[in-house]
Amino acid sequence: MTSVVSLASVTDRFLTPIQVIAGGIGTVFGVISETDQTQVPSYIFVPPRHVLRTRHPTPVRLGMVIRTPAGEVFIVGDNGPSEHASGTLWDSYRLFRATHQLQWKRRTYVVDPVTKQKADAPPANMGLIWVGVEPTDREENERRMNTTFERARFITAANVQADDLLGEYEVIRSDTQLGLQIGFLQT
């Protein structure tokens, strides 16, 4: 009897079990590595980026929140599959460190029956979400007031919009990138 040699099973011992804590359930397996740190200028202080590689097909989905065996929590973003002549060899994801679980609130309005003007109403509670909060690359100027405000970048899987509230922060911009919501916060 001849046995078939396959490299597919060789990597099993190198795969890390990763717990899914939001956006799915169970455990997924993959290899987590850091990206090249020389790509970021030394004056920009952001947490190191990581990449998750999994076998193809994989149960990992964009927006999942995962916890490594070391206890680190990451939000899964898009990085694209491998490109190879024989097809997709693995799936690759960018991992963004989830630094906070924050209360997400959406501003609501009511129309005054007499004046017909919009007025603020109590914000709607949208729930507790995982968010990565990082300093911005540079200080940004508020051009109309000719002053600066302290700002931070956020990364989350939730559909956060401008004017929403994340904890004590106000969302001033939110765009969809890499399958996640990435934007800026004002304190």
Side-chain angles (χ1 to χ4, degrees):
M1 179 171 173
T2 345
S3 67
V4 177
V5 178
S6 171
L7 293 178
S9 62
V10 172
T11 60
D12 284 350
R13 66 179 165 220
F14 300 111
L15 297 178
T16 302
I18 303 162
Q19 180 186 9
V20 178
I21 57 174
I25 57 171
T27 302
V28 296
F29 294 88
V31 175
I32 297 175
S33 58
E34 282 191 23
T35 57
D36 184 9
Q37 295 299 308
T38 61
Q39 296 174 351
V40 179
S42 62
Y43 58 85
I44 295 177
F45 300 102
V46 294
R49 300 295 187 214
H50 292 78
V51 172
L52 169 64
R53 285 198 174 88
T54 63
R55 288 193 174 159
H56 178 78
T58 180
V60 176
R61 298 291 171 252
L62 301 182
M64 279 184 162
V65 180
I66 59 174
R67 180 177 289 127
T68 67
E72 291 187 272
V73 177
F74 293 103
I75 303 167
V76 177
D78 191 21
N79 201 39
S82 65
E83 298 284 334
H84 194 269
S86 63
T88 302
L89 300 178
W90 68 80
D91 291 319
S92 179
Y93 300 92
R94 288 189 189 193
L95 299 181
F96 299 93
R97 185 168 278 121
T99 57
H100 300 79
Q101 259 193 307
L102 295 175
Q103 192 65 44
W104 173 27
K105 294 183 180 180
R106 178 151 295 152
R107 292 188 179 182
T108 60
Y109 304 94
V110 294
V111 176
D112 186 285
V114 176
T115 65
K116 306 292 185 207
Q117 298 293 316
K118 276 191 351 183
D120 286 332
N125 185 354
M126 304 294 283
L128 196 61
I129 61 172
W130 285 98
V131 180
V133 178
E134 309 176 338
T136 56
D137 299 343
R138 301 175 181 71
E139 188 174 324
E140 297 182 28
N141 292 326
E142 178 60 48
R143 302 202 190 288
R144 287 175 280 161
M145 297 179 67
N146 203 19
T147 61
T148 61
F149 293 99
E150 198 174 330
R151 295 187 183 189
R153 177 184 302 110
F154 76 90
I155 302 162
T156 188
N159 189 21
V160 173
Q161 301 172 4
D163 290 332
D164 284 356
L165 303 168
L166 294 177
E168 74 273 5
Y169 301 105
E170 178 184 354
V171 177
I172 56 175
R173 182 175 156 192
S174 181
D175 300 311
T176 303
Q177 298 176 39
L178 305 172
L180 303 172
Q181 288 302 119
I182 299 175
F184 294 96
L185 303 170
Q186 181 174 309
T187 54

